Amino acid sequence: MFFLDSSDPAEISEMFSWGVLAGVTTNPLILSRDAGCVDLERRIREVLSASAGPVSVELTSETEAAMLEEARAYHAWAPDRICIKVPFSDVGLKVTHALATRGVRTNVTCVMSFNQAYLAALAGGAYVSIFSGRIRDMGYAATPVIERTRARIERERLRAEIIVGSIRHLMDVNEALDAGAHIVTVPPAILRKMLHNPKTEETIREFNAAWEKRAK
């Protein structure tokens, strides 16, 4: 399935009307770009209204106590839909485990390796977000990480689902799905590119022109 990687309510509303999206992911970089100085709670409530399914909101605190308090505040906005995005670290694993034991869904983010993904799944993450583009920035492919994580999750019957993010090209989407990602979170620009194929557009024009020229 697809999630949309955006915090723009108008854009989210438009793309959810296509019927192909199942959730939304945000992060501090996206929110800083899309929302600027807008109050975070206000913007997330707008995102919730414009979408369906889980909405991931990322923690920015760095200590366990502060992260848990921040998570409590975000989760209270919409307990049935807010998914707490927890940056991967030893502290992040503690927070993920603590939230999971309380029934709060988490999305463990900034995962770059199989080892990290496996630890995040063991800690109780509902989602494990593997960053395809940023892995490629380090000089190697993300597909083996996705494949090994999916195989281990299925072998050990872990509850985590793999989200692949940091999508920069159409091929990233195809490779992530082929490698076993449960979900790909796509930026709006990439989702729009998925619509287009010149042969499709040429064929539609041909069919419509033939219909217009038919004998009446």
Side-chain angles (χ1 to χ4, degrees):
M1 66 181 72
F2 291 117
F3 286 177
L4 190 65
D5 207 22
S6 175
S7 66
D8 182 333
E11 195 166 53
I12 292 168
S13 179
E14 163 61 19
M15 292 187 165
F16 264 81
S17 72
W18 300 0
V20 300
L21 295 169
V24 176
T25 56
T26 69
N27 65 45
L29 181 61
I30 289 172
L31 285 159
S32 297
R33 182 194 65 210
D34 291 348
C37 296
V38 172
D39 176 74
L40 179 60
E41 180 177 355
R42 175 183 169 188
R43 177 49 64 103
I44 295 301
R45 289 191 182 279
E46 290 172 344
V47 170
L48 289 163
S49 295
S51 64
V55 173
S56 288
V57 184
E58 187 165 338
L59 304 177
T60 57
S61 302
E62 296 184 359
T63 66
E64 183 179 357
M67 291 169 79
L68 288 170
E69 180 60 24
E70 189 180 356
R72 183 199 62 76
Y74 296 164
H75 186 249
W77 296 343
D80 58 332
R81 292 188 57 200
I82 293 289
C83 182
I84 303 300
K85 210 169 183 183
V86 184
F88 183 89
S89 69
D90 56 343
V91 176
L93 291 176
K94 292 180 184 180
V95 170
T96 298
H97 179 64
L99 292 173
T101 60
R102 299 173 192 176
V104 177
R105 284 185 300 174
T106 57
N107 175 355
V108 185
T109 191
C110 302
V111 170
M112 308 291 173
S113 69
F114 164 73
N115 294 330
Q116 290 179 330
Y118 185 42
L119 290 172
L122 288 174
Y127 303 107
V128 177
S129 282
I130 297 172
F131 277 27
S132 174
R134 291 179 184 263
I135 291 173
R136 189 174 284 110
D137 288 344
M138 294 185 285
Y140 59 96
T143 49
V145 178
I146 301 165
E147 289 169 347
R148 292 183 70 188
T149 303
R150 179 64 184 258
R152 187 58 57 92
I153 284 173
E154 294 198 347
R155 190 183 80 181
E156 300 186 15
R157 298 181 181 179
L158 300 172
R159 294 182 179 180
E161 291 186 296
I162 299 167
I163 298 177
V164 174
S166 188
I167 298 297
R168 299 174 181 172
H169 307 282
L170 286 177
M171 189 56 65
D172 295 340
V173 177
N174 300 342
E175 289 179 352
L177 292 171
D178 288 343
H182 296 91
I183 300 156
V184 181
T185 187
V186 289
I190 297 295
L191 189 60
R192 289 190 184 280
K193 285 183 179 180
M194 292 175 68
L195 293 171
H196 298 296
N197 184 288
K199 197 64 177 177
T200 297
E201 292 153 15
E202 174 192 316
T203 302
I204 291 170
R205 287 194 299 269
E206 180 185 345
F207 287 177
N208 289 346
W211 181 251
E212 287 298 318
K213 293 176 183 177
R214 74 191 188 283
K216 296 181 182 178

